[in-house]
Amino acid sequence: MNVRPAQGAAVTASGSADFGDRTDFADADRGFLAGPEQQQIRTADGKVAWDFEATAFLQGDCPDTVNPSLWRQSQLTARAGLYEVTEGIHQIRGFDLSNMTLIEGDRGVIVVDPLVSAETAAAGLALYRKVRGDRPVTGVIYTHSHVDHFGGVEGVVEPGSSVPILAPEGFMTEAVAENVYVGTAMLRRGMYYSGSSVEAGPRGKVGMGLGFAASVGTVGLLPPTKSITATGQEETVDGVRFVFQSTPGTEAPSEMNFLLPDRRALCMAENATHNLHNILTLRGALVRDARIWSHYLGEAIDLFADRADVVFASHHWPTWGTAEIRDFLETQRDLYGYLHDQTLRLLNQGYVGSEIAELIEMPPALQEAWHTHDYYGSVSHNVKAIYQRYLGWYSGHPSDLWEQPPVETAKRYADCFGGVPNLVAKAREYADSGDPRFAAQLLKHAVFADPENQEAKNLLADVFERLALGAECATWRNCYLMGAGELRGGVAQTTSGTSGMATALSVPQLFDTMAIRVNGPKAWDLKAVSDWHFTDLDEHYRLTLKNGVLTYSPASGSAAADASFTLTKPQFLALLAGKGLEGVKISGDVSVLQRIVGVLDETDPNFAIVTP
């Protein structure tokens, strides 16, 4: 993790990239056609979904409160407007965390990765149309299964439209698993790594490395109509020829790159961007495979590098020139390969993840490239993720097997130090001596042992701020600043979610969302069997609650169910939303539904993180 001296932060040497090299700035500005027409993008009810003014402070010189390397990256990602990538290919940048790419076809325009929110996607499309003409959307491509690459689709395509939507194989399964099944926890943790309630400015939020922030508008999902299942698969959309590369298990479990051979343009999705990415994102996700990620980057070089004059991605700015493309992709390939191989080398010498994160040294050639730096991911937490992928949470030391949980551990730390005041005093000594890392560890125990001790919380907040102001990694900075804010002012309320995705879920996926809410102990002694007939889908299911588990299967004609429900999927969605059974045909014991609903827990999107 590269940090700089700031407010007493402990530091390691920063990378050796050249601040005098302005190539990235020239590339980020190249092809600029028009800026945003409004200062803010708002939702239908007036909420600000995106604020272009929030990044205005980044136009100045780097202050002492921000790592200069991170300031540089934030300046680059704050650029907003419509850009020409090459003839017939344009990008909307700076309207959201991600880019939206627009590829002109015979009859209209193909939208690639329509941002997070419908509002920002619609505003981006409107800007494109003002400059390039009112072309209809004739296709949509999702490069991968993360919400910032599909959530705004209803801003460019009406639900029920016949517009083809292409996505990699497994897209719907992975999009739902990440954004719905664990959506509550991921959204709450995502508030930390995005710095959602941190005020933008030189002492606060300066971005996320990938972009400034994620918009907070209306999130939706329209299911793909065509899956990309294999590398080399060719598809033509509105007269535009695509050659796809399937890259599962890289930056997303379901992801793909593509070449536009007739335009000599290569899209690398989120597999090669101008930063070190995450092997395990701080908001939480499946651990990614750094080895296969490196392999697929190598495959992309072999397949496409000499056939492209420009490479662009779902974040950041393009790279032009065949030689420059090859160098960029080779460096990205070696970045993930080096992290993987060196972690395993040290792992096999008996080191654990936290030790390897301190021991690993990056090659000078990788440090010299700006696009390998820790703006979004970090060497430190990526190494620990690679360790986790192979060996899991257990370090091999038997004391790990049955540790006390956090609050009980904290109480015992306080006891060992002779009470929380002594623990706080010792932590202050470490902070004052230039070791805020260990001060934070001690103060975590002080706060968990005595959550009402405001002195401990204030000191931990101060230490977090010192660590934040020196961090090169934007997501580390945001996590530290969010933690500091909540220690002083309480939990920041979650203000957005992914409820707009529900209509795109299959009935089995909706049953899954119910199953993960079953309070097992409350349901141990309950048994309820119900049949569900969806007339609009011609689908039939048997739902069984037994042994604290809610399971489903195709409706069986064997034993009779306690109750039978005949309805449409929209009626089922209304039922799940608490709107009652209007229009639903019911036979049998209707109380079976109350028994099922009665053991479903409500999720808490505002659970505590820095306090117990």
Side-chain angles (χ1 to χ4, degrees):
M1 176 65 187
N2 293 322
V3 296
R4 64 171 283 193
Q7 306 296 315
V11 301
T12 59
S14 185
S16 54
D18 180 11
F19 277 93
D21 180 0
R22 303 290 290 179
T23 303
D24 284 337
F25 288 89
D27 285 347
D29 290 334
R30 179 171 171 172
F32 177 77
L33 297 177
E37 296 189 288
Q38 67 274 67
Q39 293 302 315
Q40 295 176 328
I41 299 172
R42 293 181 177 270
T43 62
D45 61 1
K47 183 178 70 174
V48 176
W50 187 257
D51 187 356
F52 292 102
E53 294 180 315
T55 60
F57 71 95
L58 289 165
Q59 296 172 11
D61 293 335
C62 180
D64 291 338
T65 53
V66 185
N67 184 296
S69 177
L70 176 58
W71 185 262
R72 175 187 183 279
Q73 181 77 352
S74 296
Q75 287 184 315
L76 287 163
T77 60
R79 284 154 160 74
L82 175 69
Y83 295 79
E84 183 181 52
V85 175
T86 192
E87 185 177 356
I89 303 175
H90 297 78
Q91 284 191 315
I92 292 292
R93 301 185 210 135
F95 276 54
D96 214 315
L97 181 65
S98 48
N99 298 336
M100 181 168 70
T101 303
L102 301 137
I103 302 170
E104 293 170 1
D106 292 343
R107 297 180 295 104
V109 63
I110 303 152
V111 177
V112 181
D113 290 352
L115 307 181
V116 176
S117 303
E119 292 82 0
T120 54
L125 181 60
L127 178 61
Y128 165 81
R129 284 172 168 164
K130 179 179 180 182
V131 175
R132 297 293 297 166
D134 191 12
R135 303 166 188 253
V137 173
T138 50
V140 173
I141 295 176
Y142 304 142
T143 61
H144 59 291
S145 52
H146 293 153
V147 70
D148 52 325
H149 304 278
F150 65 78
V153 66
E154 293 186 21
V156 299
V157 175
E158 290 287 336
S161 166
S162 61
V163 168
I165 301 176
L166 283 65
E169 185 177 25
F171 172 87
M172 282 298 289
T173 297
E174 301 301 341
V176 171
E178 178 165 299
N179 296 290
V180 178
Y181 293 165
V182 293
T184 300
M186 192 174 288
L187 185 63
R188 175 71 175 111
R189 286 170 53 136
M191 291 179 64
Y192 264 61
Y193 98 131
S194 67
S196 66
S197 65
V198 175
E199 185 175 353
R203 291 193 64 88
K205 180 174 180 173
V206 297
M208 288 183 66
L210 283 179
F212 187 72
S215 63
V216 288
T218 305
V219 176
L221 173 59
L222 299 179
T225 61
K226 179 76 174 182
S227 289
I228 305 304
T229 60
T231 293
Q233 182 173 339
E234 292 197 25
E235 299 290 341
T236 299
V237 181
D238 191 15
V240 179
R241 191 160 58 102
F242 294 80
V243 181
F244 292 95
Q245 180 196 15
S246 179
T247 65
T250 52
E251 188 273 337
S254 173
E255 189 148 359
M256 63 187 185
N257 305 322
F258 62 80
L259 176 74
L260 298 165
D262 301 320
R263 316 261 174 115
R264 290 188 61 82
L266 173 61
C267 174
M268 290 301 295
E270 206 164 329
N271 286 319
T273 52
H274 288 271
N275 54 225
L276 170 60
H277 215 292
N278 287 298
I279 304 303
L280 178 57
T281 174
L282 301 182
R283 62 179 163 78
L286 296 177
V287 180
R288 298 156 187 173
D289 187 341
R291 182 192 65 82
I292 202 69
W293 196 332
S294 178
H295 165 77
Y296 280 129
L297 286 169
E299 183 180 69
I301 294 168
D302 293 339
L303 290 172
F304 302 136
D306 293 335
R307 302 168 64 188
D309 296 324
V310 61
V311 62
F312 61 95
S314 304
H315 296 273
H316 302 145
W317 51 95
T319 297
W320 286 268
T322 301
E324 290 80 2
I325 291 169
R326 179 173 286 275
D327 179 69
F328 171 66
L329 294 178
E330 287 178 349
T331 304
Q332 286 278 305
R333 174 199 64 194
D334 295 345
L335 174 63
Y336 297 103
Y338 187 88
L339 287 173
H340 175 271
D341 296 348
Q342 295 307 304
T343 299
L344 266 64
R345 178 179 68 85
L346 294 168
L347 173 158
N348 282 317
Q349 293 178 15
Y351 294 102
V352 300
S354 57
E355 293 171 320
I356 300 170
E358 299 297 312
L359 289 170
I360 199 164
E361 295 183 74
M362 301 302 290
L366 294 184
Q367 290 189 348
E368 289 167 6
W370 284 111
H371 63 86
T372 67
H373 281 228
D374 292 6
Y375 304 123
Y376 185 54
S378 77
V379 169
S380 180
H381 73 255
N382 278 342
V383 162
K384 295 166 191 171
I386 294 167
Y387 182 94
Q388 177 182 326
R389 179 178 180 87
Y390 283 96
L391 293 183
W393 61 269
Y394 176 46
S395 73
H397 196 291
S399 66
D400 288 352
L401 291 172
W402 200 22
E403 290 183 343
Q404 293 285 352
V407 170
E408 295 305 315
T409 294
K411 290 177 180 177
R412 286 157 177 78
Y413 262 85
D415 181 60
C416 290
F417 277 81
V420 169
N422 290 342
L423 183 55
V424 173
K426 195 64 181 176
R428 192 182 299 277
E429 288 181 27
Y430 276 102
D432 291 344
S433 68
D435 189 358
R437 292 171 64 184
F438 190 62
Q441 289 177 256
L442 290 180
L443 288 165
K444 171 188 173 182
H445 294 308
V447 171
F448 272 59
D450 183 5
E452 302 306 314
N453 189 315
Q454 195 59 46
E455 180 188 6
K457 291 197 285 188
N458 288 343
L459 182 55
L460 181 53
D462 291 344
V463 168
F464 280 167
E465 284 188 344
R466 290 166 62 179
L467 290 166
L469 301 186
E472 182 180 41
C473 182
T475 55
W476 282 33
R477 179 183 176 99
N478 291 338
C479 286
Y480 285 133
L481 293 175
M482 281 290 298
E486 292 194 350
L487 285 162
R488 293 191 178 112
V491 171
Q493 299 297 293
T494 301
T495 57
S496 61
T498 55
S499 59
M501 292 175 56
T503 56
L505 305 189
S506 67
V507 171
Q509 288 171 329
L510 291 169
F511 286 149
D512 285 338
T513 66
M514 296 170 63
I516 59 179
R517 292 171 51 201
V518 171
N519 184 316
K522 284 177 65 174
W524 283 344
D525 299 324
L526 291 180
K527 183 176 180 181
V529 179
S530 55
D531 285 340
W532 296 77
H533 308 286
F534 293 88
T535 56
D536 54 336
L537 304 174
D538 192 25
E539 294 179 6
H540 308 269
Y541 300 93
R542 171 156 291 189
L543 197 61
T544 302
L545 177 64
K546 184 180 179 181
N547 296 324
V549 181
L550 190 67
T551 60
Y552 58 86
S553 61
S556 171
S558 54
D562 299 319
S564 179
F565 300 84
T566 302
L567 71 173
T568 63
K569 182 182 172 185
Q571 288 170 330
F572 186 54
L573 288 168
L575 189 157
L576 293 178
K579 297 179 181 179
L581 293 164
E582 183 178 352
V584 178
K585 181 180 177 182
I586 307 167
S587 62
D589 182 7
V590 69
S591 70
V592 70
L593 185 58
Q594 282 77 37
R595 295 203 297 274
I596 295 172
V597 172
V599 296
L600 300 184
D601 274 351
E602 292 298 325
T603 56
D604 179 9
N606 301 309
F607 57 80
I609 291 178
V610 290
T611 55

